[in-house]
Amino acid sequence: MKSLLWKQPSAHNMEMVTSENLISMVAAFQCPLNRSKTISFLAMLIMFFCLASRATLAQLATTPPMGWNSWNHFGAKISDADVRAAADALAATGMRDSGYIYVNIDDGWQGKRTESGELTPNERFPDMKALADYVHARGLKLGIYSSPGPLTCAGNEGSMGHEEQDAKAFAKWGVDYLKYDICSYRKVLDQEAHGDPDLAQQMMFGVFERMHSALQATGRPIVYSISQHGLSRGWTWASQAGANLWRTGDDIRDNYLSVTEIGFAQGGLSKFAGRGHWNDPDMLEIGNGGLTPDEARTQLSLWSLLAAPLLAGNNLSKMDSDSLAILNNREVLSIDQDPAGRQGSRFCAEGPLEIWARDLTDGSIAVGLFNRNQGPVSISLDLKLFGLKEVAKVRDVWLHRDLPPIQGSRTFLVAPHGVVLLVIHP
Ligand code: GLA
């Protein structure tokens, strides 16, 4: 029996980066180290804190974060009451118990800075600490949003020049997750990097790293999600800047074209993801009205094969039962949350048909047969794709049904814009 072909050379990217950082750090300290015991002690101390802080980071988001984010449905008009309602709905619908634990406020919560530079929430958020307490009391975690630029994408106050102060405020309020969105910092790059891509890259790394250090300095474990819209191949450097997840492209919209243009463009990125550091193809649109149930199943299936963060983006308190059943299908969610954290890849693309697969911890393989066509299509699953001749155990995770064993290959009828999602056990 052959295991899947795509080995993950850096499945433990974070750990590798960590030790590389450490080696270069030690090397940087090495010359003086030999000369002075005091410095040697200091270096050891720094090493210890480095390891400790990276260890904290590595423990965060060991599986892709799951929860809810306000942006896709509420936009910049989000309020304290909406966030509380989302927290209540996560608890009441059972979604929290399926793993959706982050309640993330996106852009639109910010007010003005005080004279001493303290960022205050706007009138729709009377008391952030009380809101965090409310969310925590329901067994959930609170997320917030800011930008490394002077302004956020919706034109609100950003964190530029106030990183440490803002990180402290977030920690004081009880925030557990920060989405840090490049927005107006792009303008800063245009103005200050003068078209020099290396300088722009250095600056971008620097501002994202700066907020990471500020968060770490608070001592509160805060998941760090950066959003640079795929700029400058963020997947190659974001985890070194301390990010637990990074956006791989532009904003998602509530329609099949947008979801699939983004989702099926994630090929080749799997080697950059792993426990504690994830590619983020953006949030879910399920339940917002623009996707049919088949299209919604396509998004959740693909995102789960991609080990993507699963942040529902709909109005949870007014969700229809189809959307809830899709979002809350635990067999699918357990593919996304598989503890080994190996992101899946495309195995085959033929016109509008795609086959993606992902190795799971117990040796089984999750396989998605996708039909991007507007009519039904038969897709043949040939086990040779995975170096197998037969599989005894086949589970259809949307139907919650075991299927007969497969010898060689089997053909599945896949609905228009739909998916058949299987777990096969070699
Ligand atoms: C950007 C991000 C979105 C959202 C908005 C808020 O467009 O990509 O996800 O956060 O900003 O203004």
Side-chain angles (χ1 to χ4, degrees):
M1 197 161 34
K2 202 163 147 196
S3 82
L4 286 190
L5 301 172
W6 76 96
K7 291 280 172 232
Q8 309 279 350
S10 49
H12 299 293
N13 202 17
M14 178 59 74
E15 284 76 8
M16 284 171 61
V17 166
T18 302
S19 46
E20 272 166 21
N21 283 354
L22 203 61
I23 290 163
S24 61
M25 178 130 207
V26 171
F29 274 90
Q30 219 141 40
C31 293
L33 255 181
N34 296 337
R35 280 181 231 130
S36 150
K37 274 192 183 156
T38 325
I39 295 180
S40 147
F41 176 70
L42 198 69
M44 277 171 65
L45 212 64
I46 290 171
M47 241 169 82
F48 171 78
F49 282 117
C50 261
L51 272 175
S53 69
R54 288 286 175 179
T56 311
L57 178 67
Q59 280 157 19
L60 283 173
T62 51
T63 59
M66 288 175 64
W68 170 85
N69 173 293
S70 57
W71 183 253
N72 286 356
H73 179 79
F74 292 93
K77 294 270 181 286
I78 183 69
S79 70
D80 175 289
D82 299 326
V83 177
R84 286 174 191 241
D88 290 343
L90 285 175
T93 55
M95 285 176 69
R96 174 198 59 199
D97 299 337
S98 300
Y100 290 93
I101 56 164
Y102 288 97
V103 180
N104 292 351
I105 310 169
D106 206 277
D107 210 348
W109 64 269
Q110 309 89 330
K112 296 280 162 240
R113 287 194 187 274
T114 63
E115 267 182 22
S116 58
E118 213 181 306
L119 183 53
T120 57
N122 62 33
E123 64 293 346
R124 294 190 302 278
F125 288 88
D127 186 340
M128 275 296 184
K129 170 83 174 71
L131 178 56
D133 289 346
Y134 187 92
V135 167
H136 292 152
R138 279 147 191 79
L140 296 161
K141 291 175 181 288
L142 186 70
I144 211 161
Y145 170 96
S146 192
S147 168
L151 295 176
T152 67
C153 298
N156 294 305
E157 196 69 37
S159 291
M160 189 163 155
H162 295 273
E163 291 83 354
E164 289 73 21
Q165 204 171 14
D166 288 357
K168 274 190 198 143
F170 301 153
K172 198 173 81 192
W173 293 337
V175 163
D176 308 290
Y177 183 115
L178 172 68
K179 173 173 169 185
Y180 207 47
D181 197 353
I182 190 160
C183 305
S184 64
Y185 194 75
R186 286 174 93 143
K187 248 197 206 150
V188 177
L189 290 177
D190 287 346
Q191 284 159 3
E192 293 181 17
H194 309 292
D196 175 346
D198 291 342
L199 179 56
Q201 168 58 25
Q202 230 178 324
M203 287 173 65
M204 187 155 51
F205 185 92
V207 281
F208 282 116
E209 212 287 324
R210 180 165 177 187
M211 181 50 98
H212 168 246
S213 301
L215 293 173
Q216 293 249 299
T218 69
R220 187 176 174 85
I222 297 178
V223 171
Y224 188 36
S225 153
I226 74 169
S227 174
Q228 32 44 265
H229 309 197
L231 269 184
S232 119
R233 300 170 63 236
W235 45 87
T236 58
W237 52 266
S239 75
Q240 295 170 58
N244 296 111
L245 55 152
W246 51 85
R247 280 274 296 277
T248 54
D250 273 332
D251 286 14
I252 201 156
R253 305 272 172 233
D254 185 18
N255 61 67
Y256 181 73
L257 188 65
S258 167
V259 165
T260 50
E261 267 180 4
I262 292 176
F264 290 117
Q266 305 298 307
L269 300 186
S270 55
K271 63 176 177 288
F272 302 102
R275 288 167 63 79
H277 51 286
W278 309 102
N279 290 305
D280 175 10
D282 209 359
M283 300 168 288
L284 301 175
E285 287 287 7
I286 298 163
N288 277 332
L291 301 178
T292 65
D294 277 316
E295 293 169 349
R297 280 188 279 274
T298 289
Q299 187 178 24
L300 198 70
S301 303
L302 187 51
W303 263 233
S304 295
L305 290 165
L306 292 171
L310 298 179
L311 295 173
N314 58 322
N315 185 355
L316 297 174
S317 7
K318 301 221 166 93
M319 184 168 28
D320 61 80
S321 56
D322 272 354
S323 303
L324 174 59
I326 292 170
L327 283 167
N328 214 15
N329 182 320
R330 290 196 182 179
E331 289 194 53
V332 179
L333 300 179
S334 74
I335 295 175
D336 182 74
Q337 295 292 299
D338 185 75
R342 289 189 288 255
Q343 178 175 331
S345 302
R346 176 189 282 113
F347 266 66
C348 163
E350 192 188 302
L353 318 181
E354 307 231 5
I355 301 181
W356 289 63
R358 173 175 179 187
D359 269 329
L360 301 177
T361 307
D362 65 356
S364 59
I365 306 167
V367 184
L369 311 175
F370 294 92
N371 171 14
R372 301 175 72 174
N373 220 334
Q374 288 178 351
V377 167
S378 295
I379 302 185
S380 171
L381 174 63
D382 188 337
L383 294 179
K384 278 205 279 284
L385 263 187
F386 309 120
L388 299 169
K389 288 202 177 92
E390 56 185 4
V391 284
K393 223 176 137 198
V394 185
R395 177 88 176 158
D396 184 319
V397 297
W398 283 114
L399 297 179
H400 300 297
R401 194 184 297 152
D402 288 333
L403 306 179
I406 303 179
Q407 309 274 349
S409 69
R410 173 165 311 147
T411 301
F412 293 83
L413 185 66
V414 188
H417 289 183
V419 57
V420 168
L421 185 61
L422 306 170
V423 175
I424 59 176
H425 297 257

